[in-house]
């Protein structure tokens, strides 16, 4: 019986296409396209990067402490994107300013505050990335790409702060990250005003 | 014949369109150079760094953290058209006040220093916001603008580190006198 099953599997096996760059190439292209959305949209990118900085500045291992909230928020944002309002992008930018202020002040924020920030950043990033598309309109690999790209935009700044916290103990290092958060918040403020103002 | 040949491409050439201020590169350069074109802006932003150096920690870092965000707030007010009275006078006055604070080595409490710097930052930001070129890429413009402002502060801080040296204090206070004079020149209409 086992021999017959093995033979059936052997005979049913399709041709191997590893590294042929044909099998699944459309899914991969869709994944890359999805990943590029949060990385190319300034509003979403600032929101996620500022949140990453805020989490890194907040405390050591700040991101792992609230990571589940980020994942839940992002998954919810992607799942409910067809219901997303048109102002999702500008809301993400506004949340980016809030995250930058939280990073700049470097206050001992309670964990629920940072968890809410991470969940909201994920939700708005998902909303703004896929806003305007209906359920089933886009392949799943696009949503997976957005999930990956959004994580990249948030995890890299948080990880850089964490690495500096561990390797460089000089006090000016963390002040430097607060200055970076301030600059990011300033860019978000100006970008928000420019986005709201119709071109002359 | 070979003399007329170069004439043809010369006559067919279209206008050069480099550095028009459009697109990402144009927006970045436009935003980056905007705070640098105007001595009243430059001296005030450098003076923030100088004064921070005189005040020592934590002001040396707090003031450059406060200034960009408050200035961007002022810039946003300018962009969306919220009026602010006596903007140019406020900018010139910022040079005079910040220059004198450095020249006299005034050691104000940190909240007073942040308040003074913050108020003047709104004037500077508002002026930049209202003068914004419409062709610029918004994200690139904002990025260039904030970076240039921050680098001016860092230049002031770097020069302010001279206060650690015996003669450096006088050099920094002398720079404060120069800042105050430039501000006064703009305030009185001489510049």
């Amino acid at each position: 019986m086992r021999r017959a099953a093995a033979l059936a599997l052997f005979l049913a096996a399709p041709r191997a296409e590893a590294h042929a760059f044909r099998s699944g190439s459309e899914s991969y292209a869709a994944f890359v396209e999805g990943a590029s959305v949060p990385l190319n949209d300034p509003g979403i990118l600032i929101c996620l990067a500022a949140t990453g900085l805020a989490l890194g500045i907040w405390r050591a291992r700040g991101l792992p402490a609230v990571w589940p909230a980020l994942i839940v928020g992002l998954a919810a944002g992607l799942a409910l994107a067809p219901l997303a309002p048109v102002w999702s992008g500008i809301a993400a930018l506004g949340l980016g300013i809030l995250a930058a202020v939280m990073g700049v002040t470097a206050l001992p924020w309670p964990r629920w505050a940072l968890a809410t920030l991470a969940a909201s950043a994920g939700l708005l990033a998902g909303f703004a990335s896929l806003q305007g598309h209906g359920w089933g309109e886009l392949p799943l690999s696009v949503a997976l790409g957005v999930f990956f790209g959004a994580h990249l935009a948030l995890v890299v700044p948080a990880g850089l702060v964490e690495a500096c916290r561990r390797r460089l103990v000089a006090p000016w290092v963390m002040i430097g990250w607060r200055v970076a958060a301030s600059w990011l918040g300033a860019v978000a403020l100006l970008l928000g005003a420019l986005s709201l103002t119709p071109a002359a | 014949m070979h003399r007329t040949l170069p004439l043809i491409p010369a006559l067919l050439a279209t206008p050069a369109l480099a550095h028009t201020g459009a697109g990402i590169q144009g927006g970045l350069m436009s935003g980056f150079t905007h705070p640098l074109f105007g001595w009243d802006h430059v001296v005030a932003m450098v003076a923030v760094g100088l004064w921070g150096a005189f005040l020592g920690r934590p002001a040396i870092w707090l003031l450059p953290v406060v200034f960009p965000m408050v200035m961007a707030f002022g810039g946003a007010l300018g962009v969306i058209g919220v009026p602010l009275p006596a903007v140019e006078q406020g900018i010139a006055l910022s040079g005079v006040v910040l220059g004198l604070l450095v020249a006299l080595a005034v050691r104000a409490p940190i909240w007073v220093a942040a308040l003074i710097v913050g108020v003047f930052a709104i004037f500077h930001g508002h002026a930049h916001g209202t003068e914004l070129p419409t062709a610029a890429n918004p994200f690139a413009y904002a990025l260039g603008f904030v970076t240039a402002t921050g680098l001016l502060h860092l230049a002031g801080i770097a020069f302010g580190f001279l206060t650690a040296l015996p003669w450096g204090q006088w050099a920094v206070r002398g720079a404060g006198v120069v800042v105050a004079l430039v501000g006064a020149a703009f305030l009185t209409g001489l510049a």
Side-chain angles (χ1 to χ4, degrees):
Chain A
M1 180 64 187
R2 288 173 66 186
R3 283 185 182 177
L7 186 66
L9 281 173
F10 179 75
L11 292 172
R15 188 175 50 155
E17 291 195 330
H19 309 297
F21 294 101
R22 286 193 305 274
S23 175
S25 60
E26 285 179 5
S27 296
Y28 180 67
F31 177 84
V32 171
E33 192 180 350
S36 69
V37 173
L39 299 174
N40 281 333
D41 185 302
I44 305 171
L45 184 62
I46 286 177
C47 172
L48 294 167
T51 303
L53 282 182
L55 291 173
I57 294 168
W58 173 47
R59 67 175 218 199
R61 299 182 59 79
L63 174 61
V66 298
W67 211 325
L70 170 70
I71 290 171
V72 168
L74 191 50
L78 293 171
L80 302 174
L83 305 174
V86 289
W87 42 262
S88 298
I90 200 74
L93 201 56
L95 190 72
I97 296 169
L98 177 69
V101 170
M102 289 175 83
V104 166
T105 53
L107 294 172
W109 301 99
R111 185 176 168 176
W112 64 262
L114 272 297
T116 308
L117 176 71
S120 306
L123 184 78
L124 288 174
F127 272 3
S129 295
L130 298 185
Q131 191 254 329
H133 293 283
W135 280 297
E137 187 182 320
L138 295 170
L140 182 65
S141 45
V142 170
L144 289 173
V146 172
F147 191 86
F148 174 76
H151 263 84
L152 202 63
L154 193 146
V155 170
V156 168
L160 285 172
V161 180
E162 183 73 27
C164 286
R165 187 189 288 277
R166 292 183 187 190
R167 303 274 176 180
L168 305 166
V169 289
W172 60 264
V173 176
M174 292 312 289
I175 294 169
W177 285 115
R178 289 172 65 184
V179 171
S182 169
W183 289 17
L184 201 57
V187 170
L189 260 170
L190 278 174
L191 184 61
L194 291 166
S195 305
L196 290 172
T197 308
Chain B
M1 179 64 183
H2 61 272
R3 279 190 185 176
T4 54
L5 266 178
L7 194 63
I8 295 168
L11 290 172
L12 289 175
T14 54
L17 290 174
H19 313 297
T20 55
I24 291 176
Q25 293 92 341
L28 191 67
M29 283 311 295
S30 181
F32 190 81
T33 53
H34 205 253
L36 306 178
F37 289 155
W39 279 99
D40 47 348
H41 290 295
V42 171
V43 294
M45 290 176 204
V46 171
V48 171
L50 289 176
W51 195 31
F54 250 120
L55 292 170
R57 288 176 187 165
I60 191 170
W61 301 116
L62 186 67
L63 297 187
V65 166
V66 168
F67 198 96
M69 285 207 79
V70 182
M71 192 189 67
F73 174 71
L77 292 181
V79 168
I80 60 178
V82 176
L84 189 68
V87 172
E88 292 304 323
Q89 289 88 342
I91 291 168
L93 193 63
S94 73
V96 175
V97 171
L98 291 168
L100 286 175
L101 289 167
V102 174
L104 300 172
V106 175
R107 297 182 194 279
I110 186 67
W111 68 269
V112 174
L115 189 67
I116 292 171
V117 165
V119 167
F120 286 134
I122 290 179
F123 285 101
H124 284 268
H126 194 278
H128 290 309
T130 50
E131 294 162 8
L132 175 75
T134 52
N137 175 292
F139 178 54
Y141 181 88
L143 196 63
F145 179 87
V146 172
T147 305
T149 303
L151 289 177
L152 284 172
H153 291 319
L154 291 179
I157 290 172
F159 191 72
F161 279 143
L162 288 175
T163 52
L165 302 170
W167 55 268
Q169 293 241 353
W170 293 106
V172 174
R173 292 176 74 167
V177 172
V178 172
V179 169
L181 287 174
V182 171
F186 277 95
L187 195 61
T188 56
L190 290 173

